[in-house]
Amino acid sequence: MIKHDAPEDARRVSALYWEIKDDGTWARTVGSIGVAGDIGAVAAAHSYATLLNCPCANCSEPIAVTNRSWANKVGGKNLDVEAPAYLCGECTKIRQQEETERQQRAAE
């Protein structure tokens, strides 16, 4: 998903960055799009991917990722591995908030 307010160049970079081949692997290397660090930063700032075949371990919603490294870590090389150990962003926030509250109670 490319954010609706992304500049045209960021839209182009993001589309190239997230494109996959029919077999589920990346269509091109990051280096073939441009300077690797720049491309990754632009894509992360203006887009994300929702891994439809990788449900959250807590709520079963698809997990969204902001870079290809994380996409491969969660979904595997072909982005289709079920991810029983990973949480979606919302469940991660809830767990972090619960942990913070637990630590505050323990400190009191």
Side-chain angles (χ1 to χ4, degrees):
M1 300 293 301
I2 299 172
K3 296 177 181 175
H4 72 280
D5 59 349
E8 186 60 35
D9 190 50
R11 288 175 177 271
R12 182 188 62 75
V13 166
S14 295
L16 294 172
Y17 180 82
W18 289 113
E19 185 179 358
I20 57 172
K21 296 186 284 188
D22 290 338
D23 67 359
T25 59
W26 303 116
R28 60 190 48 81
T29 65
V30 175
S32 72
I33 302 169
V35 177
D38 295 343
I39 297 302
V42 168
H46 298 285
S47 64
Y48 63 93
T50 301
L51 305 177
L52 299 176
N53 293 324
C54 302
C56 171
N58 187 55
C59 71
S60 298
E61 287 295 315
I63 295 175
V65 294
T66 58
N67 63 61
R68 293 182 354 175
S69 295
W70 189 239
N72 285 128
K73 183 172 182 165
V74 174
K77 178 183 175 191
N78 295 338
L79 306 176
D80 61 356
V81 175
E82 293 221 6
Y86 295 98
L87 299 176
C88 68
E90 189 63 30
C91 288
T92 298
K93 287 178 194 174
I94 291 168
R95 285 247 173 112
Q96 288 172 341
Q97 183 179 15
E98 289 171 348
E99 178 62 18
T100 299
E101 290 170 359
R102 186 193 64 75
Q103 289 176 355
Q104 287 173 345
R105 283 192 305 273
E108 293 174 349

